[in-house]
Amino acid sequence: WRGHDVPPVLLSGDHARIAAWRHEQAVRRTAARRPDLLHPSHTLTVAGIQDAEVRTATPSDAGELLTLQLACWVREAQANETLDIPPLREDLAAVQAWLGTWTTFVVRSGSRLVAAVRGRLEGDTWEVGRLMVAPDLQGAGLGRALLEAVEAEAPADATAYALFTGAGSKRNQRMY
């Protein structure tokens, strides 16, 4: 149109997808121009996942975070041939404790907690950890979106980022 490419969604005739696209564009413009007007959570558009809402974790998320953590870190234990991985040794009280000291984001799809990540400043390094995506949704882009969200939360005095994974976690190493 007038020399500009038209996004395919606008030509699709799918009014629900068009409305969602327009809403997402409006949120992006608001974020760029007036971030102070945005609600602390926002909706992501991730392929195959309906209404993926990213928000700051609350204490009431601890039980679901523990369940997600156990589901995600078993694969890491297998890749690294050890059960001596902190997330597998934690209990609900430990998750509740770190929720108070880390900036933690969760992703909900409907009523289900499907992904999470946490970050905190240690000296001048913004440490990112516990990047977790439900096994059935891995590869859909949630991890990348969460990394962007937690990196954006790094305070101005952070001069470096640190993200740890196991030596045997080749899949994670490629992704990071």
Side-chain angles (χ1 to χ4, degrees):
W1 180 76
R2 293 187 181 174
H4 298 282
D5 289 333
V6 176
V9 68
L10 297 180
L11 301 173
S12 71
D14 184 335
H15 295 282
R17 283 184 51 222
I18 292 169
W21 181 86
R22 285 184 173 155
H23 175 74
E24 183 180 343
Q25 296 303 307
V27 169
R28 287 178 191 230
R29 280 192 308 276
T30 301
R33 297 175 187 165
R34 291 289 309 272
D36 57 304
L37 296 177
L38 289 180
H39 186 273
S41 71
H42 60 281
T43 301
L44 291 175
T45 301
V46 180
I49 302 169
Q50 294 294 323
D51 298 326
E53 179 193 15
V54 179
R55 66 169 174 76
T56 303
T58 64
S60 65
D61 293 321
E64 288 179 282
L65 277 168
L66 177 61
T67 301
L68 179 65
Q69 182 169 291
L70 293 172
C72 293
W73 289 89
V74 166
R75 185 177 197 174
E76 291 303 300
Q78 292 168 334
N80 291 284
E81 298 179 359
T82 181
L83 291 175
D84 191 25
I85 296 176
L88 291 177
R89 294 191 317 259
E90 291 180 352
D91 60 8
L92 182 60
V95 173
Q96 291 168 327
W98 63 250
L99 272 173
T101 61
W102 290 79
T103 299
T104 306
F105 292 109
V106 296
V107 176
R108 289 197 167 278
S109 179
S111 62
R112 181 179 168 211
L113 193 145
V114 297
V117 68
R118 67 185 193 177
R120 75 173 171 193
L121 192 62
E122 288 291 326
D124 62 353
T125 301
W126 184 245
E127 291 189 356
V128 176
R130 304 290 164 89
L131 177 60
M132 306 176 283
V133 176
D136 61 316
L137 297 175
Q138 291 176 359
L142 282 174
R144 182 169 291 116
L146 278 176
L147 276 176
E148 289 175 9
V150 78
E151 286 174 1
E153 283 297 305
D157 47 344
T159 60
Y161 292 97
L163 178 66
F164 298 96
T165 193
S169 303
K170 301 301 181 197
R171 180 176 170 270
N172 286 352
Q173 292 171 14
R174 280 190 307 273
M175 180 180 64
Y176 301 151

